[in-house]
Amino acid sequence: MKKTESIRTALYPEGQAEKAGHKNIEICHVTKTYKNGAKALDDVSFDVGSGVFGLLGHNGAGKTTLMKAIVTILRPTKGSVRVCGFDTEKQGEAVRTRIGYLPQELAMYPALTVLDFISYMARLKGITGKEEPERVLEQVEMQDFAGRKIGQLSGGMRRRVGIAQALLGNPRILVVDEPTAGLDPEERVRFRGVLSRYAREGRTVLLSTHIVEDVHQLCENLAVLRRGRLFYAGASKNLQERVEGKVKILRLEREEALAEIQKKAVVLATTYEPHGLTARIVDEEDRFHQAEPAAATLEDAYVYCMGGKAYA
């Protein structure tokens, strides 16, 4: 038995919280105010079950602050967070043994090989032996690069190594912050596959991102943060239904007309053409009869939640 497993069994009987019927993550009225008075989170509440759950929001919306509270790095000013039934403040050790975390920026040692780095991270978690580092590298398809130095890896490979260290100990919950930012399309698809496979068998992946396509491909449920407050939490399809039948394409001859459009409708996107421009809008009150109906997407719903293109 690995050291981390023996600690977990001794202090917190395995399955105690899970068998009690708790959600994997419970966020209850969480507020975080910093010493300078800035409020990063304002009375945020929602639950996360199994599967891949998306956390959407612009930069500065409070996503990273919330994730740090979940993984016990940061304490909320008010409210509470429970992971597998354990309180993050009062039972931090129980929470940490059940969570794997990939921050947006993970410091690595460029002179170490991939295997040496993962083995080092494993020892920090109380895991000895070669089996576990080799297992997680295989999970992220990096076993063939185990002998390569970290400093020689591409950005996508480094992110896969980051996921590998988060998977050490086979945690029930995986928390990842902007994992596909800056990756090329091929690596993004690969990354989605890794997260999707891991979310099987009742486990949870909490995916924080501003890339709507990642959420569309992976998440049945999501939450949207806007300026520190919870705008929406629930099924992805229900969010999309908010703009079903309201998305339209409007063709304009002059850019000056766009300002008038924004007074009457939410502008989702604009495309400039040789003889004018095209605006993708949400026409809530059916004011623009000359506009062409368009199929709504999750990205339309998200941009609508954020207040439209003018606030993006």
Side-chain angles (χ1 to χ4, degrees), residues 2 115 118-119 122 127-138 168:
K2 297 183 179 66
L115 181 59
I118 295 299
S119 298
I127 301 170
T128 58
K130 296 182 178 180
E131 294 82 2
E132 183 66 0
E134 290 174 351
R135 182 187 70 82
V136 295
L137 287 178
E138 185 175 355
L168 288 165

Side-chain angles (χ1 to χ4, degrees), residues 135-287:
R135 182 187 70 82
V136 295
L137 287 178
E138 185 175 355
Q139 278 191 282
V140 300
E141 301 176 18
M142 284 294 291
Q143 66 272 26
D144 293 339
F145 302 94
R148 184 173 296 186
K149 291 185 177 181
I150 296 288
Q152 297 173 334
L153 301 179
S154 66
M157 288 181 174
R158 290 169 69 94
R159 295 303 277 175
R160 277 191 269 159
V161 172
I163 281 287
Q165 64 80 32
L167 296 180
L168 288 165
N170 200 27
R172 182 178 177 85
I173 295 173
L174 184 62
V175 177
V176 290
D177 193 356
E178 300 284 0
T180 63
L183 300 187
D184 61 43
E186 183 180 354
E187 279 290 354
R188 283 177 58 197
V189 171
R190 190 195 304 269
F191 227 94
R192 290 175 195 157
V194 171
L195 299 181
S196 180
R197 288 193 297 272
Y198 194 78
R200 297 171 182 170
E201 302 172 0
R203 290 180 292 201
T204 294
V205 175
L206 180 58
L207 168 65
S208 171
T209 184
H210 65 276
I211 302 174
V212 183
E213 179 64 18
D214 290 343
V215 174
H216 173 69
Q217 294 291 336
L218 290 171
C219 307
E220 291 187 5
N221 296 286
L222 59 84
V224 179
L225 290 180
R226 181 177 177 185
R227 299 171 187 170
R229 295 187 64 86
L230 181 68
F231 187 91
Y232 175 83
S236 302
K237 64 178 182 179
N238 292 345
L239 179 63
Q240 186 171 324
E241 286 173 359
R242 290 191 175 194
V243 294
E244 289 286 358
K246 300 176 183 178
V247 178
K248 297 180 179 178
I249 302 296
L250 190 61
R251 304 188 187 283
L252 307 173
E253 294 182 0
R254 296 177 297 106
E255 186 173 358
E256 291 77 10
L258 188 60
E260 290 300 316
I261 300 299
Q262 289 174 325
K263 295 177 182 179
K264 302 175 183 178
V266 175
V267 177
L268 304 171
T270 53
T271 302
Y272 289 84
E273 301 172 346
H275 303 289
L277 68 155
T278 298
R280 189 177 181 90
I281 66 171
V282 174
D283 185 8
E284 297 179 87
E285 300 179 11
D286 197 24
R287 294 183 176 182

Side-chain angles (χ1 to χ4, degrees), residues 43-62:
D43 195 29
V44 173
S45 298
F46 63 91
D47 297 335
V48 180
S50 59
V52 185
F53 187 98
L55 183 60
L56 275 171
H58 292 322
N59 292 332

